[in-house]
Amino acid sequence: MSTLESQIHTAGGLGARPVHRCARAFRSGKEETRYWVLLTLLLLLGLLASLGLLLYNNPVPVDSPSFIPVVQRRFVAIVAIFIAAACHSFATVAFQSVTNNRIITPSLLGYEALYSAIHTSMIFFFGATALVNFKGVGAFFLQVMLMVILSLILYGWLLTGKYGNLHLMLLIGIIIGTGLNAVSGFMRRILSPSEFDLLQSRLIGSVNNADASYFPVAIPIMLLAVLCLYFFSRRLNVLSLGKDVATTFGVKYQASIIYTLVLVAVLMSISTSLVGPLTFFGFLVAILSYQAAPTYDHRYIFPMAFAIGFAIMTTAYFLLYHVFHAQTVVSVIIELFGGIIFLTVILRKRSL
């Protein structure tokens, strides 16, 4: 018997059936093998789709000097997909674990609403030229900082003190997001058609929005936040059991919640500022990862969530770009499927 397995306990007398208890991340070796096979296949699918995006249907011959520049431009989209998949997968899984709810997403805290309000205000008050020129590392860093500051205000106000309440924080986040969307919607109605079209292209999540000049700032911060969450996995395993259990095991519940939510805010801010809003993408990735990784251990859920997110985005972009020739609807299709699955889960559970 493995050292990780507890002794066989006999319940109800000598004739009772023995029960095998196990402290491993997986209930059986078969489930663990299935996990690693599926993870490998998903990563290979993502890599193959990435190679397809880079090399397939390239109008420039391989021996041409222009071949490498074309591949480099396509590589920017691959890096943006990698960043978005990592941010949404890690952020959503961690957020659902600390809130102990597998339906809600970090988008409830208003990141997409604030992103929309920033860009709408820019074109409303300063014109289309200001929005076109609102780019570069400075603009990217400004958007990330505003989103993180909004989150820190929520956490500092609603999670500290004697009566800190996580559900109240979520409710306030929803109200703030709804208010920002209402203000943005009012301003968009007053814009001219040409300004509205320009703004709308920014408000639809797409890897085409990504700028390679953002990567030297976005990638190190994203990797640092992802590693912090991964090495915090054991604490997340306990936090996902609820406040009472976590406190019983000696976990500093409030400090751990705030630490996790700050990292979630950083990841969501980076992804939203880089590619735009992807409201249901994280939920889609998280719900599929729970099905694909039959374990409670976040050390295994996180990699599976990333592999699923990366495979979904690269495959969707490859198929819609090179098979169906519908370049502008990739994020719309992903969000549509995410929304349908979201509604399906709610209707099956009949509760939030």
Side-chain angles (χ1 to χ4, degrees), residues 116-198:
S116 175
I118 291 172
H119 286 264
T120 305
S121 300
M122 183 68 63
I123 195 171
F124 181 81
F125 291 108
F126 304 106
T129 304
L131 182 63
V132 172
N133 294 329
F134 187 66
K135 57 184 179 180
V137 177
F140 173 77
F141 193 71
L142 175 62
Q143 294 178 82
V144 172
M145 288 302 299
L146 287 175
M147 294 180 195
V148 173
I149 288 173
L150 174 64
S151 301
L152 292 177
I153 292 174
L154 281 175
Y155 306 155
W157 175 33
L158 298 172
L159 291 182
T160 58
K162 183 178 180 180
Y163 302 103
N165 191 315
L166 183 63
H167 296 93
L168 179 61
M169 182 205 70
L170 295 174
L171 179 60
I172 298 297
I174 293 173
I175 293 173
I176 292 176
T178 303
L180 290 174
N181 281 327
V183 173
S184 300
F186 172 76
M187 289 189 290
R188 285 196 294 269
R189 293 176 184 274
I190 305 177
L191 297 177
S192 64
S194 59
E195 291 176 333
F196 180 83
D197 289 341
L198 176 62

Side-chain angles (χ1 to χ4, degrees), residues 6-26:
S6 63
Q7 296 179 351
I8 299 176
H9 296 273
T10 304
L14 295 176
R17 186 177 181 179
V19 178
H20 294 271
R21 300 181 185 274
C22 180
R24 300 170 57 194
F26 296 94

Side-chain angles (χ1 to χ4, degrees), residues 187-300:
M187 289 189 290
R188 285 196 294 269
R189 293 176 184 274
I190 305 177
L191 297 177
S192 64
S194 59
E195 291 176 333
F196 180 83
D197 289 341
L198 176 62
L199 175 64
Q200 198 65 22
S201 64
R202 295 285 189 94
L203 299 183
I204 297 177
S206 173
V207 296
N208 295 324
N209 295 332
D211 191 334
S213 63
Y214 301 166
F215 294 161
V217 176
I219 292 177
I221 299 176
M222 179 271 294
L223 290 177
L224 179 61
V226 162
L227 290 175
C228 287
L229 281 177
Y230 183 80
F231 290 119
F232 200 65
S233 293
R234 294 185 184 274
R235 292 286 183 89
L236 287 174
N237 295 341
V238 181
L239 291 173
S240 63
L241 299 175
K243 181 178 181 179
D244 294 336
V245 176
T247 304
T248 302
F249 279 99
V251 175
K252 295 181 179 179
Y253 183 77
Q254 193 174 64
S256 299
I257 290 290
I258 294 177
Y259 174 79
T260 304
L261 291 178
V262 168
L263 294 176
V264 168
V266 171
L267 290 174
M268 290 299 297
S269 302
I270 289 174
S271 174
T272 305
S273 300
L274 184 67
V275 302
L278 293 172
T279 305
F280 291 110
F281 174 65
F283 173 82
L284 173 64
V285 169
I287 203 69
L288 292 177
S289 67
Y290 299 140
Q291 303 299 319
T295 177
Y296 65 89
D297 198 332
H298 288 75
R299 293 176 300 171
Y300 298 95

Side-chain angles (χ1 to χ4, degrees), residues 65-89:
S66 302
F67 180 79
I68 297 300
V70 172
V71 172
Q72 288 176 341
R73 286 196 295 271
R74 293 185 175 188
F75 186 71
V76 172
I78 302 298
V79 176
I81 291 174
F82 177 87
I83 295 174
C87 289
H88 279 272
S89 58

